[in-house]
Amino acid sequence: MTQGEDDLVEYGFRRIIITITAVLCALLEIVDTTIVNVALTNMRGSLGATLTDVAWVITAYAIANVIVIPMTSWLSQQFGRRNYFAVSIIIFTSASFLCGNATNIWELVAFRFVQGLGGGALLVTAQTIITESYPVAKRGMAQAIYGMGVIVGPTLGPPLGGYLVDNFSWPYIFYINIPLGIIATILTLSFVRSPKYGEKLKSNQVDWYGIILLATFIGSLQFVLEHGQQDDWFSNNLILGLSLVSLFGLILFIWRQLTYKYPIVNLSVLKDGNLRIGTIMCFILGFGLYGSTLIIPIYTQSVLGWTATDAGLLLIPGSITTAIMMPFVGRMIQKGVPQGYMVATGFAIFFVFCLMMYGNMTPDTGVEHLFWPLILRGIGLGLLFVPITTLSLSTLSGKNIGEGAAFTGMMRQLGGSFGIAIITTFITRFNQSHRVNLIANLDATKYEVQQRLALLQKGFISKGFSTNEALKKAYQSIDYSVMKQSTVLSYMDIFLYLGVLFLLCIPITLLIKRGKNKINPADAMH
């Protein structure tokens, strides 16, 4: 086994090229998850779709991603890692071209699904390739380099998307993948090597039922999360039905994987204590990472009235901070700084970030009030991402590294989906309750309210409206400011709750340290 493990370690120029290829592919995949968010309005216009329809452009990609991620390790073994990685890039790139040429919304959704099937593989396989190209002592650094791509990706998406949509048109957010995809394919075929772990399965040994159960359980879950809020959760029969399908799918899937001779997802990897804690941490990290990436652009665009490009650019300094942090964190891990401490510090910093956002949000907050909290968020992410990933995979070896990476990748994506679903639900619920509370204070008999109305009415009359029209407009503008205030209040609530969530995670990190000392790497290999 040891020989097989060190076989893939690369040195010098080859390692640099392989690292660049893998990070480029991970970036392609992740940027594509968020780049679309900015272009949704334009897509609605040119494809004549409703907001619900257009949300499927994101949903389809996410569902395909989450279905493929757990299977990547198995697929790599079936087709050879290099071939599988290259084919994934080709599928992803071709689907990008088709997405850009879609003539109606459902074509676009179908091609996005195909793109997600190619994309999901890029993420985990890239992580495995990077991990195995570095000797064990330098794995922390390897995760740091990969982490730069994964963390910077979600924040590069919106500004890049905003720029392309503002200056060209929405198909260009897909076309931009094509040249990069071609370069990545050529580099993969020239430099990446496949490990020799086990033999291929014959088609009759393949766990087809496992694949179907996995797709059913994860696909349904992802659908429920994406569409729960707009369809009013469990009072909708479809959502209720799919939730049950997902639950039974999960139970059957676990049973199948534990009893079948050639499982697709090797659940026995989860016997590793660090990987178990790591997957929970990845879930929470996904929750916070994608959740806060979702709220901030919506807040700056809908409440503060910024353009898509500006909203995206706001997140960049934080990402750069994270990218700068990564190598230092990698070095700290190599020097033996306990990873549990780093993760705990990261969660604490995230808590402070959430509190600062809670304190700084108003209907007219300026850039200067959001700049430092986002820098803090960058530092926190840097301290969380690499230690959590390295820690999860620290006691695994050989074939298990890929399987472990698939779990952490899947949990991070699912955490993001849960985060976005829960946050959008709460925003709507909080918004309603704050609105009711605010309106209760707007009593038409109060002097201040009458004065405000009279002032607004005068303003509208001076713009040439008739007295009645001006009064109507005055009421509308008061209603608008109530709406704005209640929106801001609900965003504040969300940050407060996110902060509490991160604070509660700190005790979990204490479990790691104890587990870490007990595990002897030699025992972990059996």
Side-chain angles (χ1 to χ4, degrees), residues 9 32 84 122 125 132 146 160 178 210 215 221 256 333 380 395 403 438-439:
V9 174
D32 245 67
Y84 175 53
L122 300 183
T125 321
E132 296 199 346
Y146 170 75
L160 180 64
I178 298 170
L221 177 64
R256 176 78 181 172
I333 292 177
T395 43
E403 290 166 345
L438 288 172
I439 289 177

Side-chain angles (χ1 to χ4, degrees), residues 9-10 26 40 44-45 65 73 86 119 133 135 254 285 287 341 361 373 413 449 461 485 487 495 498 505:
V9 174
E10 301 281 1
L40 290 181
R44 271 176 72 187
N65 256 206
S73 179
S133 301
I254 292 174
L285 180 66
F287 201 102
Y341 292 161
M361 278 189 148
Q413 293 285 55
V449 179
I461 291 174
Q485 292 283 359
T487 311
F495 273 111
L498 272 179
C505 291

Side-chain angles (χ1 to χ4, degrees), residues 254-274:
I254 292 174
W255 168 78
R256 176 78 181 172
Q257 297 309 295
L258 294 175
T259 53
Y260 193 67
K261 191 177 174 191
Y262 308 105
I264 307 183
V265 179
N266 179 5
L267 295 176
S268 61
V269 190
L270 287 173
K271 287 180 185 156
D272 185 280
N274 280 1

Side-chain angles (χ1 to χ4, degrees), residues 63-64 67 70 84 100 131 136 143 181 192 209 216 223 230 278 300 310 323 348 353 421-422 485 496 508 526:
I63 290 179
I67 289 174
Y84 175 53
T131 308
V136 177
Q143 294 295 353
V192 174
Y209 289 114
T216 313
F223 179 92
Q230 64 203 35
T300 48
D310 289 343
F353 153 72
I422 291 170
Q485 292 283 359
L496 194 59
I508 303 181
H526 299 312

Side-chain angles (χ1 to χ4, degrees), residues 108-141:
L108 179 60
V109 169
F111 294 139
R112 275 288 277 180
F113 186 79
V114 177
Q115 193 190 25
L117 289 176
L122 300 183
L123 212 53
V124 181
T125 321
Q127 186 175 8
T128 320
I129 289 174
I130 291 185
T131 308
E132 296 199 346
S133 301
Y134 284 73
V136 177
K138 291 202 171 161
R139 292 255 161 101
M141 200 44 115

